[in-house]
Structures are given as C-alpha cells and as structure tokens.
Amino acid sequence: MASVMAEEQRIVEEEQQRIEEEREIEAAREEASRIKEEEERKQWKEAMEAQRLLEKIAEQEASDLKKKERLAREKSHASTKNDKGKCQGCGLKKCRKDCLFRN
C-alpha cells in the first residue's frame, strides 16, 4: 500500500513539475511578446514624430517660398525697373519722353 501511495505521489509531483515548466515557458513567451510590442510601439512613435517634423519642415519651406515670391512681386510693383535694369513700361535702359515710367 505504501509503494502505491509513493508511486502516486511521484506521479503527482511529476505532473506538477511539468505544469510549472509549461507556465514558465508561457510566461517567457508573453514577456518576449510584450517586449517586442513595446519596441514596435516605440518605433511607430518615432516614425510618426519624424513624419510630423518632415511635414512641418515642408510647410515652413512652402511658407518661405510664398513669402519670397510675394516680396519679389511687391518689389517689382514698387520699382519702375525690372531685375535686369530695364524699364517695365518700355523695356529700355533709358526711357524715352513718352514712357509713363520716366522720371
């Protein structure tokens, strides 16, 4: 009777040990999965931040370009000469008497 009880106790202990090992393996898998998900989230956040910065830079460049174009238009409206030094009205370096922009 004692040997049957000892054998039964041994089987129960082996089963408990097997269950504990399976739990440890599952816990290790879950930990690895959690670490991987955290790393993916971190990379995604970094990518989104980089995308936001790129969009901000592109928006700033577009704004600067529009500002430069606006300033160039304003300058051309204020001046009677174009960027090559010719009159905007008659197209000559020295205006004739009948030019509207003659000083």
Side-chain angles (χ1 to χ4, degrees):
M1 187 73 162
S3 65
V4 173
M5 293 292 283
E7 181 68 22
E8 191 67 31
Q9 182 67 24
R10 186 184 60 78
I11 292 173
V12 168
E13 287 176 359
E14 288 176 358
E15 184 67 21
Q16 287 177 344
Q17 186 178 8
R18 184 185 62 78
I19 291 171
E20 184 63 31
E21 287 174 357
E22 288 176 1
R23 285 183 185 162
E24 290 175 0
I25 291 170
E26 184 63 29
R29 280 189 204 138
E30 288 177 3
E31 180 67 18
S33 176
R34 184 185 62 79
I35 291 172
K36 184 178 177 182
E37 287 177 8
E38 286 179 4
E39 186 65 29
E40 287 175 356
R41 275 193 212 112
K42 183 179 178 184
Q43 289 177 352
W44 185 80
K45 285 181 180 179
E46 289 175 357
M48 292 305 294
E49 182 64 26
Q51 183 65 32
R52 279 192 288 273
L53 289 173
L54 286 174
E55 289 173 358
K56 185 177 179 182
I57 289 170
E59 183 180 313
Q60 183 67 32
E61 288 176 351
S63 173
D64 290 346
L65 182 62
K66 286 180 182 179
K67 187 175 181 180
K68 284 180 183 178
E69 289 174 352
R70 185 177 43 83
L71 289 174
R73 270 196 315 269
E74 287 176 3
K75 183 180 176 186
S76 69
H77 288 298
S79 175
T80 59
K81 303 283 184 180
N82 64 16
D83 56 348
K84 295 180 183 177
K86 295 183 179 181
C87 176
Q88 290 184 7
C90 63
L92 300 173
K93 286 270 187 181
K94 292 186 177 182
C95 295
R96 297 183 181 155
K97 291 182 181 180
D98 58 345
C99 180
L100 298 173
F101 290 103
R102 186 170 183 215
N103 295 349

